[in-house]
Structures are given as C-alpha cells and as structure tokens.
Amino acid sequence: MNNVMIIMGVGISFSTLQDTTKTQNKMSRKIWESPKKGKIVIFILAFMVLLFIGIGLIGYFSANNNRFKDLSIGITILGVGIIGFLKSAIEMFENHRKDKNTTANII
C-alpha cells in the first residue's frame, strides 16, 4: 500500500503539468465556469490535503510499527501530490469562471 500511495502522489503531481487554460470535458467545464461549484471543489481538495497530510504525520510520529510508519509516509506523499493538483484547480477556476472572465474585460 505504501508504494501504491507514493506512486499515486507522484502521478497526481505530474497531472498538474496540464494546460490550465483548457478543460478536458463538459463536466469539468461546468464545474470551473460556476463560481459556486468551483469553490466547493477547491474546498474539498484543500480539506483532502489537510486530512492526508495530518493523518500521515500523526501516524508517522505515533506509530510504533515500521509498517504503519511506511504507510504514513505514503499517505503524506499522497497529500503533497494533491497540493499540486489543488494549485492547478485554483488556476483552472481563475481561467474559466464566468463571473470574472467576460468579453468586456478582454481588450
């Protein structure tokens, strides 16, 4: 499980290299164009980051078993990977939201 979480964290952080000016599908376009839905998704991602990093650090410093310490390292790395994804989500929200990006603002 530790290796799976480490690889997932690295994979998620590589997904942040995408172009944030484009959306992948209609569902993500609907989420990022709506101010309310975009804020909800960003809040959920921020909560996930705090949860994973918090559980990982608490588990690492309180575990007596080496297996749990290794699992805690994997959980922490997954949380760090989601930080990069959160950064991309904030950029996509800024690029696509309809209430801030109107044709009158583009000159």
Side-chain angles (χ1 to χ4, degrees):
M1 286 299 289
N2 178 37
N3 291 336
V4 169
M5 288 197 204
I6 289 174
I7 291 171
M8 282 177 52
V10 171
I12 289 172
S13 57
F14 277 137
S15 73
T16 62
L17 298 174
Q18 68 182 353
D19 185 14
T20 58
T21 59
K22 299 177 183 175
T23 56
Q24 288 78 24
N25 50 35
K26 289 181 183 180
M27 187 177 84
S28 67
R29 185 178 305 123
K30 286 181 183 180
I31 290 172
W32 298 124
E33 286 179 351
S34 169
K36 188 180 232 182
K37 291 177 188 174
K39 288 177 185 176
I40 290 171
V41 170
I42 289 172
F43 176 75
I44 290 170
L45 286 173
F47 179 74
M48 285 175 54
V49 166
L50 290 174
L51 184 73
F52 284 136
I53 291 178
I55 289 173
L57 291 176
I58 290 170
Y60 181 75
F61 290 116
S62 66
N64 294 328
N65 190 349
N66 283 337
R67 288 185 180 178
F68 289 128
K69 283 191 175 197
D70 290 342
L71 186 63
S72 298
I73 290 171
I75 292 171
T76 306
I77 291 174
L78 181 62
V80 171
I82 296 174
I83 288 174
F85 189 66
L86 176 63
K87 181 193 80 71
S88 291
I90 292 170
E91 287 178 6
M92 287 185 75
F93 183 58
E94 289 175 356
N95 288 335
H96 294 287
R97 59 189 289 187
K98 283 193 172 183
D99 62 339
K100 297 280 182 171
N101 296 333
T102 60
T103 55
N105 291 339
I106 301 172
I107 297 176

